């Protein structure tokens, strides 16, 4: 499949299907007041997952970074690199490629991806009884993968060393708590407090429901912002040993965008890899940092949605329903992720909220 000067190809084993192995172990325990506790260990391993970008037949090894900015010089006979074919024009890097007539040769349906997930999952359930139903769930997990997802392409640092891309998955949260409940307000006909026909029409028969979520913050990726260049792949920074990465976990949102505000991340914890002289900032080696920070995340997330509804029965076949949905009812803004671009003057600062403002939706429905 031609694409300008690059092509994609289908490998002989590209039709081999991915597969996932699952395993689990758990128990259930009956508690008082109709509650049931369930505890499970759940794990899975993905193999041959799609990972676009982890293969390039035209790639060159990172050891050639030793050639420095010569890689981006136009090829001439004086370069010391043999002319690939008569009439070749391009850079020295292009002349070194196995197939210099193409820039890149990527595999269609590249099936190099892997994943590993392990979790402890606890669930507390109270089936709807006496006007109350509860479902609470907590998950403690770790998700490692070689590709974020089948939908996300990978800009690898070195396709010859795929293990460099193995990291915490960008969609994984180690701690996740959810609580859902439904409650019949005990006012109205056939409920605890019957207020009479007129009052029941106004105050009785209402039901409340809510969803609550508390989870760890999102994984963070530190980028060099174009300050350095890796001609063979992604240019990543170094992690400076001994430096604290999060210096102010309570850093506020810098709404005004003023450089020098209170930072969440420590700029001194990251450094650019050394570059070759010449002004083109080509790295001498790959950075020591992976695609995702292994144990550092943005601020945690807390949120809830609440609903209230009531149905009036008109006759056997007709009813009127009124419903209200309150998204982010307490108007929590939360703190968004910090800026992770090393070239930004706002690096490490939180410059925006985590979620949008309160949203109220009211609806009415007549069934007949």
């Amino acid at each position: 499949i031609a694409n300008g000067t690059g092509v994609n190809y289908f490998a002989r084993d590209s039709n081999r299907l991915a597969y996932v192995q699952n395993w689990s172990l758990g128990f259930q325990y009956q508690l008082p007041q109709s509650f049931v506790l369930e505890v499970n260990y759940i794990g899975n391993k993905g193999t041959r997952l799609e990972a676009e970008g982890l293969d390039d037949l035209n790639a060159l090894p990172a050891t050639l970074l030793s050639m420095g900015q010569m890689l981006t010089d136009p090829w001439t006979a004086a370069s010391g690199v043999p002319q690939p074919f008569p009439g070749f024009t391009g850079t020295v890097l292009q002349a070194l490629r196995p197939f210099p007539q193409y820039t890149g040769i990527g595999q269609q349906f590249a099936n190099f991806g892997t994943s590993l997930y392990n979790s402890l999952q606890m669930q507390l359930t109270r089936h709807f009884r006496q006007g109350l139903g509860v479902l609470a769930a907590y998950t403690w997990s770790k998700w490692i993968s070689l590709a974020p997802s089948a939908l996300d392409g990978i800009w690898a640092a070195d396709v010859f060393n795929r293990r460099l891309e193995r990291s915490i998955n960008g969609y994984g949260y180690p701690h996740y708590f959810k609580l859902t409940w439904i409650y019949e307000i005990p006012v109205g006909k056939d409920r605890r407090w019957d207020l009479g026909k007129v009052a029941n029409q106004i105050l009785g028969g209402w039901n409340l429901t809510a969803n609550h979520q508390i989870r760890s913050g999102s994984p963070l990726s530190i980028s060099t912002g174009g300050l350095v260049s890796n001609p063979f792949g992604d240019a990543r920074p170094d992690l400076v040993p001994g430096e604290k990465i999060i210096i102010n976990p309570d850093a506020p949102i810098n709404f005004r965008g003023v450089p020098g505000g209170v930072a969440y991340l420590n700029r001194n914890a990251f450094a650019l890899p050394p570059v070759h002289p010449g002004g083109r900032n080509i790295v001498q080696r790959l950075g020591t940092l992976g695609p995702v920070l292994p144990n550092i995340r943005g601020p945690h997330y807390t949120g809830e949605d609440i609903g209230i509804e009531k149905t009036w029965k008109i006759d056997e076949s007709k009813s009127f329903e009124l419903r209200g949905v309150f998204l982010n009812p307490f108007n929590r803004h939360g703190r968004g992720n910090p800026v992770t671009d090393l070239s930004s003057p706002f690096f490490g600062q939180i410059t925006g909220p985590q979620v949008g403002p309160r949203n109220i939706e009211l609806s009415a429905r007549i069934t007949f």
Side-chain angles (χ1 to χ4, degrees):
I1 303 174
N3 181 17
T5 55
V7 295
N8 288 345
Y9 76 99
F10 290 88
R12 291 182 177 180
D13 65 346
S14 62
N15 62 346
R16 297 182 69 191
L17 295 178
Y19 65 92
V20 177
Q21 298 165 283
N22 300 283
W23 53 88
S24 63
L25 176 66
F27 68 89
Q28 292 181 337
Y29 189 77
Q30 180 75 46
L31 298 173
Q33 299 299 318
S34 301
F35 281 94
V36 176
L37 175 65
E38 184 174 352
V39 180
N40 293 289
Y41 161 68
I42 296 177
N44 63 62
K45 179 182 182 296
T47 305
R48 290 205 298 266
L49 306 178
E50 188 164 351
E52 300 289 344
L54 275 184
D55 182 51
D56 184 355
L57 292 183
N58 231 14
L60 294 170
T63 54
L64 290 180
L65 286 172
S66 60
M67 297 179 65
Q69 73 174 23
M70 177 184 174
L71 290 166
T72 57
D73 287 339
W75 178 89
T76 64
S79 301
V81 176
Q83 185 180 27
F85 52 82
F88 170 83
T89 59
T91 63
V92 172
L93 184 152
Q94 188 63 30
L96 289 168
R97 294 190 185 278
F99 304 95
Q101 63 270 40
Y102 301 110
T103 53
I105 306 176
Q107 178 173 331
Q108 195 76 8
F109 306 122
N111 52 10
F112 307 111
T114 61
S115 68
L116 180 63
Y117 176 81
N118 290 282
S119 68
L120 173 65
Q121 300 185 15
M122 294 183 287
Q123 181 171 292
L124 184 66
T125 306
R126 187 184 195 272
H127 294 295
F128 194 77
R129 181 173 177 267
Q130 296 178 338
L132 177 65
V134 177
L135 175 61
Y138 167 72
T139 300
W140 176 37
S141 65
K142 188 171 186 178
W143 184 8
I144 299 174
S145 66
L146 200 59
S149 77
L151 302 178
D152 298 326
I154 300 172
W155 183 229
D158 181 7
V159 297
F160 294 98
N161 188 0
R162 295 172 185 155
R163 288 190 61 84
L164 294 178
E165 308 308 311
R166 183 176 171 85
S167 65
I168 298 295
N169 190 283
Y171 297 102
Y173 305 100
H175 300 283
Y176 210 133
F177 174 76
K178 296 181 181 180
L179 172 64
T180 301
W181 53 267
I182 300 174
Y183 180 57
E184 287 185 343
I185 297 176
V187 175
K189 184 179 179 181
D190 300 325
R191 298 190 182 185
R192 181 178 300 177
W193 295 294
D194 191 332
L195 303 181
K197 186 174 181 180
V198 176
N200 285 345
Q201 289 296 319
I202 301 172
L203 303 175
W206 290 95
N207 301 318
L208 283 175
T209 182
N211 296 312
H212 306 264
Q213 296 184 41
I214 303 174
R215 63 165 172 79
S216 303
S218 301
L220 300 177
S221 298
I222 308 298
S223 69
T224 58
L227 296 175
V228 294
S229 172
N230 172 14
F232 305 135
D234 191 19
R236 295 173 186 156
D238 287 339
L239 185 62
V240 178
E243 287 283 350
K244 192 174 182 179
I245 299 178
I246 296 180
I247 53 175
N248 192 340
D250 299 319
I253 300 176
N254 182 5
F255 282 109
R256 297 183 179 181
V258 179
V262 178
Y264 180 86
L265 296 177
N266 181 12
R267 176 63 177 82
N268 295 328
F270 310 97
L272 299 174
V275 299
H276 290 279
R280 298 180 196 170
N281 294 328
I282 295 177
V283 294
Q284 297 180 15
R285 57 165 175 79
L286 300 179
T288 60
L289 199 60
V292 179
L293 288 173
N295 54 1
I296 299 297
R297 295 173 176 269
H300 75 276
Y301 168 79
T302 299
E304 56 276 306
D305 302 323
I306 297 176
I308 184 170
E309 66 88 20
K310 174 179 169 65
T311 300
W312 286 266
K313 196 74 173 177
I314 300 173
D315 58 30
E316 291 297 327
S317 61
K318 301 182 183 66
S319 62
F320 174 72
E321 179 182 309
L322 186 64
R323 178 183 295 271
V325 177
F326 305 84
L327 307 176
N328 190 16
F330 303 115
N331 209 28
R332 301 179 191 271
H333 61 271
R335 294 175 299 153
N337 288 330
V339 176
T340 56
D341 183 346
L342 289 174
S343 67
S344 171
F346 307 107
F347 177 85
Q349 297 181 43
I350 297 172
T351 58
Q354 194 174 60
V355 295
R358 179 191 298 114
N359 190 312
I360 300 176
E361 301 175 2
L362 300 177
S363 63
R365 185 175 70 177
I366 297 177
T367 302
F368 57 90

